[in-house]
Amino acid sequence: MSKNFNLNGDFPPNNPAGEKVGGTVGDFGKKSPTKVGYNKDKEPFVGHKACAGCGGTIAVRLALKALGERVFVTVPAGCMSAVGFLYPQMAFTVNSIISTFAGTASMLTGIRAAANAKGLKDVFVVGFAGDGGTADIGIQALSGAIERGDKIIYICYDNEAYMNTGIQRSSATPFGASTTTSPAGSVIGGNRLGKKDMFSIVAAHNIPYAATASIAYPHDYIKKVKKAAATDGPSYIHILAPCPTGWGSENNQTVNLARLAVETGLWQLKEFAGGEVKITHKPKELKSIEEYLRLQKRFRHLNAADVDRVKESIG
Amino acid sequence: MAIQKFLSGNEAIAEAVKLAKPAVIAVYPITPQTTVVEKLADFVANGELKTEFINVESEHSALSALMGASAMGVRTFTATSSQGLLYMSECLHYAAGGRFPIVMMNANRAVALPWNIFGDQRDSLSQLESGWIQLYAENAQEAFDLTLSSFAIAENHAVALPVMLNVDGFALTHTYEPLNIISQEDADKILPPFKPFFEMNLEKPLSLGFSAGPRDNTAFKQHQINGMKAAAKLINEKFGDLVDAYKLENAKYAIITLGSISGLVRDVIDELQSDGVKVGLLRLRSLRPFPEEELRSALANFKTVGVLEKNLSVGAENAVAKEIKSALYGLENAPQVLAFSGGLGGRDISANEIKDIISKIIGGEK
C-alpha cells in the first residue's frame, strides 16, 4: 500500500487533508468532516455540490429546517448523496447516512428500531429519496416500512427522471418527456408512458399521513412536514422538485416551474389522512399548460396530439 | 455454569443470540435458516428476549435495516441462506465497507439453478470478497460457541467488521445434539455490553456511508485490511484459532476441509492412521481472515494435500483450493495441492468416498 494515502487511525476517519469543509457558514473548516458540530443557527445542508437551480436541495433544506436538530437523515445513492457526502466534505450538519439505492426505507426502519431500543424520545427519522429511488428500486422497502407502521418520515423529491446518472427515464417521468433512455427521436417522441401515481399507491397502504407538495409552496410543504413529524407512524410526502439540468430549463425557472405545475393542474397539492384525500391548494383557475411545456427542452418536440394527451392527464 | 440441552444447530444459534441480547434483529425467512428466526420470534413472543424484532420484506432490507441500527450504535443480528445471501450481496459489501459490526448466521445451501434447498457451500464461498469475516462451524456446539464469539469479534474496536457465521444446511441446522448452554452470567463475560466504535448521536452528529473518490478510496480499504488483520489476531488469541489441526503431527498427507464434513473425515483418519496411513486433517474455521501463515507453518513439510469443499468453480480451480495453493506458494518443497468438489446440492459424502479422496492424495493425482 502506498504511503501517499493519509491514514489517520480510526474509522470514521478524520479529515486527512485538513481541507475546509462546507462552503459558506460558520466554522466548518475547523471540524472533522464526519463529526460536524451542530448549531441551530447553522444550515442543516450546506456547501453541497448540487447544480445551480436544483429543486431537490430546496426540498431537503426546508424539511430539515422544519424538523430541527433531533433528526437522523437517510439518503440513498442518488443526487443528494452524490452532492452531499464527498469525503472529506460533508454537507449535512445533522446525523446523516447514505443507504443503498433500494434501501432507504429499510434503513430508516433500522434507525427507528435502534432509536426505540435506546429509548430516544422526540427524534425524527427522515429519508430523502428521488423518484427513481422511490417509485422504482425502493418501492418494495417503502411498502414494507409503511405496512409495518414504522415511525419514519419518507420524502420523495420528484425530479421526474434519474438525474444523478444523466437523465434516464424513471416510472415517475411524465408522458412525452425526452430523457436519455426515452429520447425524442424521429419515430418515437419521448416517453410514451404515464407517470406512476405514488401518492395513491402509498395511500392504498392506509398510511396515517401522506401528502404531495411543491417546492414553490414552502408554507404548504413545511406545514405538511410538521404534520408528518407529528404522525404516530409512517408518513410520506411526495414533493415536485424541478431539475434544470434534466428538464432543460433555465436555472432561475426552478421555482416558477414548480409553481406552474400546480397552477396548470398537472401537479395537485393534496394530503391523505384518516382515509380521506383533501386538496390543500386549489388554483382559482387553471393556467394553460403551454407555457409550462415551453420552458423545458424535454417537451420541446411534442406535437399537438401529444400536448392534448398531456392536457388529458390533468385530473 | 452450563446446562445440557438437546438442540438442533439452528436452535443452538438462537439460544446463543438470546444470550447475546441484540437490540435489533431483522428477519426474512429462507430454508434452512427458518428455525433460527422462528425460535427467536418465540423468545420475543414469550418475553424471554427483549429486542426490536423486525419482519422485513427482503434480505436486502434485513441488512439495510441492520446497517441503520448499527449506525445508531446498537448490537444487531440477522440470519439468511443461499438465494437470500446472494440477494444481500450489495449490502454485504456495504456493511463491511461501512464497518458495521453486524452478526449474521448463514445456513450454507446450494444456489439456483437448478433449484436445490440442501446444503453446500457455494453461497458463502461466492461472497468471499465481500469484506465480511467468514467463520465455519463443524458442529452445533461450535455453532453455539461461535455465535457469541462472532459478536465479540465483530464489535472489537480494532476489527469493526461484520461476521458471517456459516453452518451447513440441514447437516448442522436441523440435526440434534446434546449441547452445553452456558449461563447468562458466563455469556456476559465472553460478550460484555456493546460499546460502539462510532455511532450517530444527537450530541456529535455524524455523516456516514459517504463517498470517497480516487484520492481517498484506497485508504479506506487499507483500514478494512487492518481490521481483518486484527480479527485474525483476536481469533487466534481468544476464540480457538483460524484452523483446527487433527492428527497432523506425524502425517505427510493432509485433507483440508471446512464445516460439518470434518466430523466424518476425523473418523476416517482415525481408522486409516491405525492402519499406519500418514494422513491428517486441517479444518478451516475461518476463510476471512484467511489463515495463510497457519497453513504455511502447518503444512510446510507435507507431500500432498487435498482440499475438499462443497463448492465448484466452473472454468477454474475451486475457490478454497486455489487460495490454499496461493498460501503455500513459494514454500521450499511446497506440497502439491489437489482440489475436490463434494456434497453439491446436499449429495452425501460417504466414508468410502473420503477414503477414495485420501488415496488420490497419497497417489498424488487428480
Side-chain angles (χ1 to χ4, degrees):
Chain A
M1 192 64 59
S2 162
K3 286 188 179 168
N4 293 329
F5 295 104
N6 295 290
L7 298 173
N8 286 316
D10 291 345
F11 183 94
N14 292 313
N15 180 351
E19 285 176 18
K20 197 166 170 61
V21 176
T24 54
V25 183
D27 58 350
F28 281 86
K30 294 174 191 161
K31 308 226 171 165
S32 160
T34 53
K35 296 175 184 173
V36 283
Y38 194 91
N39 182 325
K40 67 178 179 176
D41 297 327
K42 284 181 184 167
E43 288 292 326
F45 185 40
V46 68
H48 55 70
K49 298 165 170 60
C51 308
C54 172
T57 52
I58 295 172
V60 172
R61 177 175 174 269
L62 288 176
L64 290 178
K65 281 278 189 187
L67 292 171
E69 302 175 26
R70 298 175 64 82
V71 69
F72 297 94
V73 176
T74 297
V75 298
C79 281
M80 290 310 124
S81 56
V83 305
F85 286 83
L86 183 56
Y87 181 83
Q89 296 169 312
M90 301 295 142
F92 284 91
T93 62
V94 292
N95 283 292
S96 55
I97 182 169
I98 307 181
S99 72
T100 57
F101 204 3
T104 312
S106 38
M107 187 166 264
L108 293 171
T109 288
I111 291 172
R112 173 54 75 184
N116 291 346
K118 292 169 85 165
L120 286 179
K121 304 272 182 228
D122 306 321
V123 294
F124 303 116
V125 178
V126 58
F128 297 98
D131 47 294
T134 301
D136 293 341
I137 197 169
I139 196 168
Q140 172 176 299
L142 174 61
S143 176
I146 297 171
E147 169 271 320
R148 282 188 301 269
D150 300 330
K151 186 168 162 44
I152 62 166
I153 304 167
Y154 190 108
I155 298 177
C156 171
Y157 64 93
D158 183 0
N159 52 28
E160 303 195 318
Y162 290 88
M163 298 313 188
N164 185 47
T165 42
I167 319 159
Q168 292 83 22
R169 180 199 171 272
S170 80
S171 61
T173 301
F175 171 80
S178 176
T179 73
T180 55
T181 53
S182 63
S186 57
V187 178
I188 302 170
N191 181 40
R192 295 286 99 188
L193 303 168
K195 186 178 176 72
K196 188 186 273 187
D197 182 0
M198 279 304 299
F199 177 76
S200 297
I201 290 169
V202 166
H205 288 70
N206 208 15
I207 189 171
Y209 183 76
T212 61
S214 159
I215 58 153
Y217 296 82
H219 293 285
D220 175 79
Y221 175 45
I222 288 170
K223 213 184 283 175
K224 288 168 176 172
V225 170
K226 298 220 163 181
K227 278 189 186 176
T231 300
D232 187 20
S235 52
Y236 176 88
I237 299 174
H238 194 111
I239 180 163
L240 188 70
C243 167
T245 309
W247 291 16
S249 52
E250 295 298 324
N251 295 342
N252 63 8
Q253 291 301 303
T254 298
V255 173
N256 187 35
L257 283 167
R259 187 181 300 115
L260 279 172
V262 174
E263 290 176 337
T264 55
L266 283 167
W267 188 247
Q268 290 186 336
L269 302 184
K270 52 194 173 183
E271 57 186 10
F272 173 87
E276 303 272 323
V277 176
K278 196 176 90 186
I279 303 290
T280 59
H281 172 84
K282 198 164 189 179
K284 285 199 178 98
E285 59 185 79
L286 293 182
K287 288 192 173 170
S288 104
I289 65 164
E290 275 80 3
E291 190 187 354
Y292 177 75
L293 298 177
R294 187 181 56 78
L295 290 167
Q296 307 173 56
K297 277 190 196 143
R298 63 176 178 158
F299 292 124
R300 203 151 287 172
H301 60 282
L302 295 191
N303 59 31
D306 284 346
V307 172
D308 284 345
R309 194 163 154 188
V310 174
K311 281 179 186 163
E312 283 164 18
S313 75
I314 296 170
Chain B
M1 272 296 290
I3 55 161
Q4 284 245 321
K5 282 191 181 178
F6 189 62
L7 298 175
S8 71
N10 275 353
E11 289 168 351
I13 288 163
E15 289 281 350
V17 171
K18 186 174 83 172
L19 292 169
K21 296 176 281 191
V24 178
I25 296 175
V27 303
Y28 189 82
I30 180 167
T31 304
Q33 153 264 38
T34 39
T35 49
V36 176
V37 298
E38 288 168 359
K39 188 84 182 167
L40 289 171
D42 280 345
F43 288 150
V44 174
N46 295 313
E48 294 174 63
L49 173 61
K50 198 171 169 296
T51 187
E52 294 287 325
F53 190 85
I54 314 169
N55 281 284
V56 287
E57 65 287 340
S58 77
E59 288 91 354
H60 190 284
S61 282
L63 267 194
S64 292
L66 292 193
M67 288 192 279
S70 191
M72 295 288 283
V74 303
R75 181 171 291 159
T76 57
F77 177 81
T78 189
T80 192
S81 179
S82 180
Q83 310 298 127
L85 184 74
L86 301 188
Y87 193 47
M88 282 177 174
S89 185
E90 175 192 20
C91 295
L92 293 178
H93 288 258
Y94 212 92
R99 311 302 292 274
F100 298 116
I102 296 163
V103 172
M104 174 166 71
M105 172 268 194
N106 178 55
N108 279 122
R109 171 186 143 177
V111 295
L113 285 170
W115 280 101
N116 182 302
I117 60 162
F118 300 105
D120 72 32
Q121 295 156 335
R122 279 179 282 176
D123 53 0
S124 58
L125 293 179
S126 77
Q127 302 300 311
L128 280 173
E129 310 305 15
S130 66
W132 282 55
I133 291 168
Q134 279 203 12
L135 307 179
Y136 289 80
E138 176 177 348
N139 52 48
Q141 183 70 55
E142 193 179 34
F144 173 85
D145 297 343
L146 275 179
T147 302
L148 282 169
S149 308
S150 293
F151 286 103
I153 296 162
E155 293 169 6
N156 182 288
H157 286 193
V159 178
L161 287 170
V163 176
M164 184 192 304
L165 172 58
N166 293 287
V167 178
D168 278 314
F170 292 107
L172 290 186
T173 59
H174 284 64
T175 53
Y176 281 72
E177 294 176 34
L179 299 174
N180 291 319
I181 304 297
I182 60 173
S183 66
Q184 185 67 60
E185 196 184 348
D186 288 344
D188 291 345
K189 282 179 202 153
I190 296 168
L191 186 64
F194 182 37
K195 284 194 190 122
F197 180 25
F198 58 90
E199 63 176 321
M200 298 199 293
N201 67 45
L202 297 167
E203 286 71 42
K204 288 183 183 170
L206 281 181
S207 283
L208 294 172
F210 46 80
S211 307
R215 190 194 64 182
D216 300 311
N217 205 285
T218 314
F220 288 105
K221 294 296 120 181
Q222 181 64 53
H223 278 288
Q224 249 177 280
I225 292 170
N226 295 345
M228 201 53 98
K229 283 181 180 162
K233 194 159 173 279
L234 184 65
I235 295 166
N236 276 332
E237 281 172 8
K238 278 187 149 176
F239 299 108
D241 296 338
L242 300 174
V243 296
D244 169 23
Y246 184 69
K247 296 193 173 177
L248 274 186
E249 300 81 17
N250 301 312
K252 281 165 64 185
Y253 304 96
I255 185 161
I256 301 171
T257 191
L258 59 162
S260 61
I261 193 64
S262 312
L264 185 58
V265 174
R266 282 175 210 273
D267 291 345
V268 172
I269 282 170
D270 288 346
E271 187 189 327
L272 292 177
Q273 283 213 358
S274 69
D275 293 339
V277 181
K278 294 190 169 180
V279 63
L281 163 71
L282 192 75
R283 179 171 67 93
L284 304 168
R285 294 179 79 234
S286 171
L287 281 191
R288 291 289 183 278
F290 192 73
E292 183 176 314
E293 288 307 315
E294 290 76 5
L295 285 162
R296 285 173 79 87
S297 76
L299 302 173
N301 297 310
F302 278 64
K303 210 162 170 233
T304 308
V305 300
V307 184
L308 173 58
E309 58 198 285
K310 295 179 177 177
N311 181 40
L312 184 68
S313 297
V314 178
E317 197 154 71
N318 290 343
V320 180
K322 205 158 45 189
E323 297 210 353
I324 303 262
K325 207 177 244 187
S326 159
L328 300 177
Y329 181 79
L331 271 183
E332 204 178 334
N333 300 320
Q336 186 184 5
V337 178
L338 303 182
F340 299 92
S341 289
L344 297 182
R347 183 169 163 161
D348 190 39
I349 302 174
S350 68
N352 279 339
E353 281 169 326
I354 292 168
K355 285 179 191 167
D356 194 40
I357 286 169
I358 290 171
S359 69
K360 281 180 181 161
I361 293 169
I362 292 168
E365 55 178 89
K366 290 192 187 185

